[in-house]
Amino acid sequence: MNPICKTAIASTLLAAASLAQSAVILYTNEAAYLAATGATRTYIDFAGSPGATVSGAGFSPDVTFGSCTDSAAPGSCGTTVLHSSNAITDLGGSAANNGVASLAWRFNLPDVFAFSFNYVSGAIDAVNLVSIGSLAIDAIDTSAASGFIGLVSDVAFYGGIGVNAVFPNNIGNDRYFIDDFRINGIGQAVPEPATLALVAVGLLALRLRRRGA
């Protein structure tokens, strides 16, 4: 089972006081992100539309994708996804009222300080980032983004989880599809951010409790 969600999150909630003091910059404009991060190391376009469950490790050796589907253990993730319409999405099965789950990813490269992706259909309220070493989580508020999310940090990323937006009256999660996943740059210094979207790990705990209700 992918440790991004279950092991890392469980450990983090027990040690919330040790939240990594990383500086993370959120980009909601693709051109600005690419200008800031330079050459692309890895690009995945998810071409094809088999409409089938596939291995999340089959798109690139540099990153493994997974779907957080286990409603009996909120926060746990498998390593398969649904590949459809030149994008990937979750497999369902979460504790949300409509069963829609989240996507997660784990980097298999060292020194990943910048990554981005496009998304369609649904909305993403936050990206929960896991940093190498401490395995602490930064919950980055992405609710102002619209179709593109790029993240740059001064601490290397281990992986992340895209947190679904929730429909009004908590009727269920908004399903999203991601495309054009990029890993950029190596060991770059992070400029002073105009806006930092760092949210307390308590928000993550609250969301996990709500999904488990």
Side-chain angles (χ1 to χ4, degrees):
M1 181 173 290
N2 192 319
I4 295 174
C5 302
K6 188 174 183 180
T7 303
I9 293 178
S11 299
T12 301
L13 293 177
L14 290 174
S18 65
L19 181 65
Q21 298 301 309
S22 57
V24 180
I25 299 176
L26 167 66
Y27 289 87
T28 59
N29 178 277
E30 186 171 7
Y33 167 83
L34 292 173
T37 58
T40 297
R41 300 170 66 185
T42 301
Y43 172 70
I44 308 171
D45 64 4
F46 302 107
S49 183
T53 298
V54 300
S55 169
F59 298 102
S60 169
D62 298 340
V63 58
T64 299
F65 298 93
S67 181
C68 305
T69 61
D70 189 352
S71 59
S76 63
C77 297
T79 54
T80 52
V81 296
L82 178 65
H83 184 198
S84 183
S85 302
N86 300 299
I88 61 171
T89 192
D90 69 280
L91 298 180
S94 78
N97 292 342
N98 60 351
V100 172
S102 299
L103 286 172
W105 51 91
R106 182 192 69 230
F107 296 112
N108 304 318
L109 287 173
D111 300 327
V112 175
F113 293 88
F115 71 93
S116 71
F117 56 87
N118 291 302
Y119 62 98
V120 297
S121 182
I124 300 176
D125 267 358
V127 173
N128 292 331
L129 295 172
V130 183
S131 300
I132 289 176
S134 68
L135 290 183
I137 289 177
D138 286 343
I140 308 301
D141 183 355
T142 59
S143 58
S146 178
F148 175 81
I149 291 171
L151 293 164
V152 181
S153 175
D154 59 354
V155 175
F157 297 122
Y158 176 74
I161 308 155
V163 179
N164 310 71
V166 178
F167 289 121
N169 300 317
N170 200 29
I171 63 173
N173 291 340
D174 193 357
R175 172 170 278 124
Y176 59 83
F177 289 72
I178 70 170
D179 193 10
D180 301 319
F181 195 97
R182 287 185 172 88
I183 300 172
N184 292 78
I186 300 177
Q188 298 145 269
V190 178
E192 285 296 321
T195 302
L196 290 181
L198 297 179
V199 183
V201 73
L203 292 178
L204 173 61
L206 177 62
R207 186 170 295 276
L208 290 177
R209 285 198 302 270
R210 179 166 62 180
R211 290 195 177 176

